[in-house]
Short mmCIF file of all heavy atoms in Angstrom, two decimals:
data_model
loop_
_atom_site.label_atom_id
_atom_site.label_comp_id
_atom_site.label_asym_id
_atom_site.label_seq_id
_atom_site.Cartn_x
_atom_site.Cartn_y
_atom_site.Cartn_z
N GLU A 142 -124.37 27.06 -82.59
CA GLU A 142 -123.96 27.73 -83.83
C GLU A 142 -122.56 27.29 -84.24
O GLU A 142 -121.74 26.95 -83.41
CB GLU A 142 -123.98 29.26 -83.69
CG GLU A 142 -125.29 29.87 -83.27
CD GLU A 142 -125.33 30.19 -81.79
OE1 GLU A 142 -124.63 29.49 -81.00
OE2 GLU A 142 -126.06 31.14 -81.41
N SER A 143 -122.31 27.33 -85.57
CA SER A 143 -120.99 27.10 -86.09
C SER A 143 -120.87 27.83 -87.43
O SER A 143 -121.84 28.30 -87.99
CB SER A 143 -120.72 25.62 -86.27
OG SER A 143 -121.63 25.03 -87.19
N GLY A 144 -119.65 27.95 -87.92
CA GLY A 144 -119.39 28.50 -89.24
C GLY A 144 -118.83 29.91 -89.24
O GLY A 144 -118.51 30.44 -90.34
N GLY A 145 -118.67 30.52 -88.11
CA GLY A 145 -118.08 31.86 -88.05
C GLY A 145 -116.60 31.81 -88.37
O GLY A 145 -115.98 30.76 -88.41
N GLY A 146 -116.03 33.01 -88.57
CA GLY A 146 -114.62 33.09 -88.89
C GLY A 146 -114.26 34.45 -89.40
O GLY A 146 -114.99 35.42 -89.28
N LEU A 147 -113.05 34.54 -89.97
CA LEU A 147 -112.51 35.78 -90.51
C LEU A 147 -112.61 35.76 -92.03
O LEU A 147 -112.20 34.76 -92.65
CB LEU A 147 -111.04 35.94 -90.07
CG LEU A 147 -110.29 37.12 -90.64
CD1 LEU A 147 -110.89 38.44 -90.17
CD2 LEU A 147 -108.81 37.03 -90.26
N VAL A 148 -113.12 36.81 -92.61
CA VAL A 148 -113.28 36.88 -94.06
C VAL A 148 -113.04 38.31 -94.54
O VAL A 148 -113.26 39.26 -93.78
CB VAL A 148 -114.71 36.39 -94.46
CG1 VAL A 148 -115.78 37.32 -93.94
CG2 VAL A 148 -114.83 36.23 -95.96
N GLN A 149 -112.56 38.44 -95.75
CA GLN A 149 -112.36 39.75 -96.33
C GLN A 149 -113.68 40.36 -96.78
O GLN A 149 -114.61 39.66 -97.12
CB GLN A 149 -111.42 39.66 -97.55
CG GLN A 149 -110.00 39.27 -97.26
CD GLN A 149 -109.15 40.42 -96.83
OE1 GLN A 149 -109.60 41.58 -96.82
NE2 GLN A 149 -107.90 40.15 -96.46
N ALA A 150 -113.73 41.68 -96.78
CA ALA A 150 -114.91 42.38 -97.30
C ALA A 150 -115.24 41.88 -98.69
O ALA A 150 -114.35 41.72 -99.53
CB ALA A 150 -114.72 43.87 -97.27
N GLY A 151 -116.52 41.65 -98.94
CA GLY A 151 -116.97 41.11 -100.21
C GLY A 151 -117.05 39.62 -100.23
O GLY A 151 -117.63 39.07 -101.19
N GLY A 152 -116.56 38.96 -99.23
CA GLY A 152 -116.57 37.50 -99.15
C GLY A 152 -117.87 36.95 -98.59
O GLY A 152 -118.81 37.70 -98.32
N SER A 153 -117.88 35.64 -98.39
CA SER A 153 -119.10 34.94 -97.95
C SER A 153 -118.78 33.97 -96.81
O SER A 153 -117.66 33.47 -96.69
CB SER A 153 -119.70 34.13 -99.10
OG SER A 153 -120.12 34.97 -100.16
N LEU A 154 -119.77 33.75 -95.97
CA LEU A 154 -119.74 32.74 -94.94
C LEU A 154 -121.14 32.12 -94.83
O LEU A 154 -122.13 32.80 -95.13
CB LEU A 154 -119.38 33.32 -93.56
CG LEU A 154 -117.91 33.69 -93.30
CD1 LEU A 154 -117.83 34.42 -91.94
CD2 LEU A 154 -117.02 32.46 -93.30
N ARG A 155 -121.20 30.87 -94.41
CA ARG A 155 -122.45 30.25 -94.06
C ARG A 155 -122.44 29.80 -92.62
O ARG A 155 -121.62 28.97 -92.22
CB ARG A 155 -122.77 29.05 -94.97
CG ARG A 155 -124.22 28.55 -94.79
CD ARG A 155 -124.59 27.39 -95.67
NE ARG A 155 -124.03 26.13 -95.16
CZ ARG A 155 -124.50 24.92 -95.46
NH1 ARG A 155 -125.59 24.80 -96.25
NH2 ARG A 155 -123.92 23.84 -94.97
N LEU A 156 -123.37 30.34 -91.84
CA LEU A 156 -123.49 29.94 -90.45
C LEU A 156 -124.54 28.84 -90.34
O LEU A 156 -125.52 28.81 -91.11
CB LEU A 156 -123.96 31.13 -89.59
CG LEU A 156 -123.10 32.40 -89.64
CD1 LEU A 156 -123.65 33.43 -88.65
CD2 LEU A 156 -121.64 32.08 -89.35
N SER A 157 -124.33 27.91 -89.40
CA SER A 157 -125.28 26.85 -89.14
C SER A 157 -125.67 26.89 -87.66
O SER A 157 -124.90 27.32 -86.83
CB SER A 157 -124.69 25.47 -89.45
OG SER A 157 -124.31 25.38 -90.81
N CYS A 158 -126.87 26.45 -87.37
CA CYS A 158 -127.33 26.35 -86.00
C CYS A 158 -128.11 25.03 -85.86
O CYS A 158 -129.16 24.88 -86.49
CB CYS A 158 -128.21 27.53 -85.61
SG CYS A 158 -128.91 27.45 -83.96
N ALA A 159 -127.58 24.11 -85.07
CA ALA A 159 -128.18 22.81 -84.88
C ALA A 159 -128.95 22.78 -83.54
O ALA A 159 -128.42 23.23 -82.54
CB ALA A 159 -127.13 21.71 -84.92
N ALA A 160 -130.15 22.24 -83.57
CA ALA A 160 -131.01 22.21 -82.41
C ALA A 160 -131.21 20.79 -81.92
O ALA A 160 -131.27 19.85 -82.72
CB ALA A 160 -132.36 22.83 -82.73
N SER A 161 -131.32 20.64 -80.63
CA SER A 161 -131.63 19.35 -80.04
C SER A 161 -133.15 19.16 -79.95
O SER A 161 -133.90 20.13 -80.09
CB SER A 161 -131.03 19.25 -78.60
OG SER A 161 -131.61 20.20 -77.75
N GLY A 162 -133.57 17.94 -79.72
CA GLY A 162 -134.98 17.66 -79.49
C GLY A 162 -135.78 17.41 -80.74
O GLY A 162 -135.31 17.58 -81.88
N ARG A 163 -137.03 17.04 -80.54
CA ARG A 163 -137.95 16.71 -81.62
C ARG A 163 -138.98 17.80 -81.91
O ARG A 163 -139.83 17.60 -82.74
CB ARG A 163 -138.69 15.40 -81.29
CG ARG A 163 -137.84 14.16 -81.39
CD ARG A 163 -138.59 12.95 -80.84
NE ARG A 163 -137.99 11.69 -81.31
CZ ARG A 163 -138.51 10.94 -82.25
NH1 ARG A 163 -139.67 11.26 -82.84
NH2 ARG A 163 -137.88 9.83 -82.62
N THR A 164 -138.86 18.93 -81.21
CA THR A 164 -139.84 19.99 -81.35
C THR A 164 -139.34 21.17 -82.17
O THR A 164 -139.97 22.23 -82.19
CB THR A 164 -140.31 20.50 -79.96
OG1 THR A 164 -139.18 20.96 -79.23
CG2 THR A 164 -141.01 19.40 -79.20
N PHE A 165 -138.25 21.01 -82.90
CA PHE A 165 -137.67 22.06 -83.70
C PHE A 165 -138.66 22.65 -84.67
O PHE A 165 -138.70 23.84 -84.94
CB PHE A 165 -136.43 21.52 -84.43
CG PHE A 165 -135.74 22.51 -85.32
CD1 PHE A 165 -135.01 23.58 -84.79
CD2 PHE A 165 -135.81 22.39 -86.70
CE1 PHE A 165 -134.36 24.47 -85.60
CE2 PHE A 165 -135.18 23.27 -87.54
CZ PHE A 165 -134.43 24.31 -86.98
N SER A 166 -139.49 21.78 -85.27
CA SER A 166 -140.46 22.24 -86.25
C SER A 166 -141.57 23.09 -85.65
O SER A 166 -142.34 23.69 -86.39
CB SER A 166 -141.08 21.07 -86.99
OG SER A 166 -141.79 20.22 -86.10
N SER A 167 -141.64 23.17 -84.33
CA SER A 167 -142.65 24.00 -83.64
C SER A 167 -142.13 25.40 -83.32
O SER A 167 -142.86 26.19 -82.70
CB SER A 167 -143.07 23.31 -82.34
OG SER A 167 -143.66 22.07 -82.59
N TYR A 168 -140.88 25.72 -83.68
CA TYR A 168 -140.31 27.02 -83.34
C TYR A 168 -140.10 27.89 -84.59
O TYR A 168 -139.63 27.43 -85.62
CB TYR A 168 -138.93 26.86 -82.71
CG TYR A 168 -138.88 25.92 -81.53
CD1 TYR A 168 -137.78 25.07 -81.33
CD2 TYR A 168 -139.90 25.90 -80.59
CE1 TYR A 168 -137.73 24.20 -80.27
CE2 TYR A 168 -139.84 25.03 -79.49
CZ TYR A 168 -138.76 24.18 -79.34
OH TYR A 168 -138.70 23.34 -78.28
N ASP A 169 -140.48 29.15 -84.45
CA ASP A 169 -139.91 30.17 -85.32
C ASP A 169 -138.48 30.37 -84.90
O ASP A 169 -138.14 30.19 -83.73
CB ASP A 169 -140.69 31.49 -85.23
CG ASP A 169 -141.98 31.48 -86.01
OD1 ASP A 169 -142.58 30.41 -86.22
OD2 ASP A 169 -142.38 32.59 -86.44
N MET A 170 -137.61 30.75 -85.85
CA MET A 170 -136.21 30.92 -85.56
C MET A 170 -135.72 32.30 -85.95
O MET A 170 -136.28 32.94 -86.87
CB MET A 170 -135.36 29.87 -86.28
CG MET A 170 -135.67 28.42 -85.89
SD MET A 170 -135.20 28.05 -84.15
CE MET A 170 -133.41 28.18 -84.27
N GLY A 171 -134.67 32.76 -85.30
CA GLY A 171 -134.09 34.04 -85.62
C GLY A 171 -132.58 34.00 -85.57
O GLY A 171 -131.98 33.17 -84.88
N TRP A 172 -131.96 34.90 -86.30
CA TRP A 172 -130.52 35.21 -86.16
C TRP A 172 -130.40 36.61 -85.64
O TRP A 172 -131.05 37.54 -86.13
CB TRP A 172 -129.79 35.07 -87.51
CG TRP A 172 -129.54 33.65 -87.94
CD1 TRP A 172 -130.26 32.94 -88.82
CD2 TRP A 172 -128.48 32.81 -87.49
NE1 TRP A 172 -129.71 31.70 -88.98
CE2 TRP A 172 -128.62 31.57 -88.18
CE3 TRP A 172 -127.40 32.96 -86.63
CZ2 TRP A 172 -127.72 30.51 -88.02
CZ3 TRP A 172 -126.53 31.90 -86.42
CH2 TRP A 172 -126.70 30.71 -87.14
N PHE A 173 -129.54 36.80 -84.67
CA PHE A 173 -129.21 38.09 -84.07
C PHE A 173 -127.72 38.29 -84.12
O PHE A 173 -126.96 37.34 -84.27
CB PHE A 173 -129.71 38.17 -82.63
CG PHE A 173 -131.19 38.11 -82.47
CD1 PHE A 173 -131.88 36.91 -82.56
CD2 PHE A 173 -131.92 39.29 -82.21
CE1 PHE A 173 -133.24 36.86 -82.42
CE2 PHE A 173 -133.30 39.23 -82.06
CZ PHE A 173 -133.95 38.03 -82.16
N ARG A 174 -127.31 39.56 -83.98
CA ARG A 174 -125.89 39.84 -83.88
C ARG A 174 -125.63 40.94 -82.88
O ARG A 174 -126.49 41.79 -82.61
CB ARG A 174 -125.28 40.19 -85.23
CG ARG A 174 -125.83 41.46 -85.89
CD ARG A 174 -125.27 41.58 -87.30
NE ARG A 174 -125.74 42.79 -87.95
CZ ARG A 174 -125.47 43.10 -89.23
NH1 ARG A 174 -124.79 42.22 -90.01
NH2 ARG A 174 -125.93 44.22 -89.75
N GLN A 175 -124.44 40.92 -82.29
CA GLN A 175 -124.06 41.90 -81.29
C GLN A 175 -122.60 42.23 -81.45
O GLN A 175 -121.74 41.37 -81.33
CB GLN A 175 -124.34 41.35 -79.90
CG GLN A 175 -124.11 42.38 -78.80
CD GLN A 175 -124.68 41.94 -77.44
OE1 GLN A 175 -124.84 40.74 -77.22
NE2 GLN A 175 -124.95 42.88 -76.58
N ALA A 176 -122.31 43.47 -81.74
CA ALA A 176 -120.96 44.01 -81.83
C ALA A 176 -120.51 44.49 -80.46
O ALA A 176 -121.34 44.85 -79.62
CB ALA A 176 -120.88 45.11 -82.88
N PRO A 177 -119.21 44.57 -80.20
CA PRO A 177 -118.74 45.06 -78.91
C PRO A 177 -119.30 46.44 -78.55
O PRO A 177 -119.24 47.37 -79.36
CB PRO A 177 -117.20 45.11 -79.07
CG PRO A 177 -116.92 44.10 -80.13
CD PRO A 177 -118.09 44.17 -81.08
N GLY A 178 -119.85 46.54 -77.34
CA GLY A 178 -120.39 47.80 -76.89
C GLY A 178 -121.71 48.18 -77.49
O GLY A 178 -122.22 49.27 -77.20
N LYS A 179 -122.31 47.32 -78.30
CA LYS A 179 -123.57 47.61 -78.95
C LYS A 179 -124.68 46.67 -78.45
O LYS A 179 -124.41 45.62 -77.87
CB LYS A 179 -123.45 47.44 -80.47
CG LYS A 179 -122.34 48.28 -81.10
CD LYS A 179 -122.65 49.77 -81.03
CE LYS A 179 -121.62 50.57 -81.79
NZ LYS A 179 -121.89 52.04 -81.74
N GLU A 180 -125.91 47.05 -78.69
CA GLU A 180 -127.03 46.21 -78.34
C GLU A 180 -127.16 45.08 -79.31
O GLU A 180 -126.71 45.13 -80.45
CB GLU A 180 -128.34 47.06 -78.28
CG GLU A 180 -128.83 47.50 -79.65
CD GLU A 180 -128.16 48.75 -80.17
OE1 GLU A 180 -127.17 49.21 -79.64
OE2 GLU A 180 -128.68 49.32 -81.18
N ARG A 181 -127.85 44.02 -78.88
CA ARG A 181 -128.13 42.90 -79.75
C ARG A 181 -129.28 43.27 -80.68
O ARG A 181 -130.33 43.74 -80.23
CB ARG A 181 -128.47 41.64 -78.94
CG ARG A 181 -128.60 40.40 -79.74
CD ARG A 181 -128.74 39.17 -78.82
NE ARG A 181 -127.57 39.00 -77.97
CZ ARG A 181 -127.41 38.00 -77.12
NH1 ARG A 181 -128.37 37.08 -76.99
NH2 ARG A 181 -126.33 37.95 -76.36
N THR A 182 -129.09 43.05 -81.98
CA THR A 182 -130.10 43.45 -82.94
C THR A 182 -130.48 42.25 -83.82
O THR A 182 -129.71 41.33 -84.01
CB THR A 182 -129.62 44.59 -83.87
OG1 THR A 182 -128.43 44.18 -84.54
CG2 THR A 182 -129.31 45.83 -83.04
N ILE A 183 -131.71 42.30 -84.34
CA ILE A 183 -132.21 41.20 -85.16
C ILE A 183 -131.58 41.30 -86.55
O ILE A 183 -131.41 42.39 -87.12
CB ILE A 183 -133.74 41.21 -85.19
CG1 ILE A 183 -134.27 39.86 -85.62
CG2 ILE A 183 -134.27 42.33 -86.09
CD1 ILE A 183 -135.74 39.67 -85.25
N VAL A 184 -131.25 40.14 -87.09
CA VAL A 184 -130.74 40.03 -88.46
C VAL A 184 -131.81 39.47 -89.39
O VAL A 184 -132.04 39.99 -90.47
CB VAL A 184 -129.50 39.11 -88.49
CG1 VAL A 184 -129.02 38.89 -89.93
CG2 VAL A 184 -128.36 39.73 -87.66
#
Protein backbone atom coordinates (compact mmCIF):
# COMPACT_ATOMS: atom_id res chain seq x y z
CA GLU A 1 0.00 0.00 0.00
CA SER A 2 0.95 3.63 -0.48
CA GLY A 3 -0.65 7.07 -0.43
CA GLY A 4 -1.47 7.53 3.23
CA GLY A 5 -0.74 10.73 5.10
CA LEU A 6 -2.11 13.62 7.11
CA VAL A 7 -5.06 15.59 5.76
CA GLN A 8 -7.55 18.13 7.11
CA ALA A 9 -11.18 17.17 7.57
CA GLY A 10 -13.01 17.57 4.28
CA GLY A 11 -9.90 16.79 2.26
CA SER A 12 -9.05 13.89 -0.04
CA LEU A 13 -6.47 11.14 -0.37
CA ARG A 14 -5.96 8.34 -2.87
CA LEU A 15 -4.53 5.07 -1.61
CA SER A 16 -2.85 2.59 -3.95
CA CYS A 17 -2.09 -1.10 -3.52
CA ALA A 18 0.27 -2.81 -5.93
CA ALA A 19 0.31 -6.61 -6.20
CA SER A 20 3.03 -8.97 -7.35
CA GLY A 21 2.49 -11.91 -9.66
CA ARG A 22 0.35 -12.70 -12.68
CA THR A 23 -2.74 -13.93 -10.81
CA PHE A 24 -4.02 -10.54 -9.62
CA SER A 25 -7.02 -10.79 -11.93
CA SER A 26 -8.06 -13.98 -10.09
CA TYR A 27 -8.57 -12.21 -6.74
CA ASP A 28 -11.39 -10.26 -5.26
CA MET A 29 -9.89 -7.35 -3.34
CA GLY A 30 -10.76 -5.47 -0.19
CA TRP A 31 -9.76 -2.42 1.82
CA PHE A 32 -9.84 -2.62 5.61
CA ARG A 33 -8.98 -0.17 8.35
CA GLN A 34 -7.97 -0.43 11.98
CA ALA A 35 -7.85 2.39 14.51
CA PRO A 36 -5.80 2.09 17.73
CA GLY A 37 -7.51 -0.23 20.20
CA LYS A 38 -10.23 -1.13 17.70
CA GLU A 39 -10.98 -4.19 15.62
CA ARG A 40 -10.16 -4.32 11.93
CA THR A 41 -13.25 -3.50 9.88
CA ILE A 42 -14.10 -3.72 6.21
CA VAL A 43 -14.16 -0.53 4.17
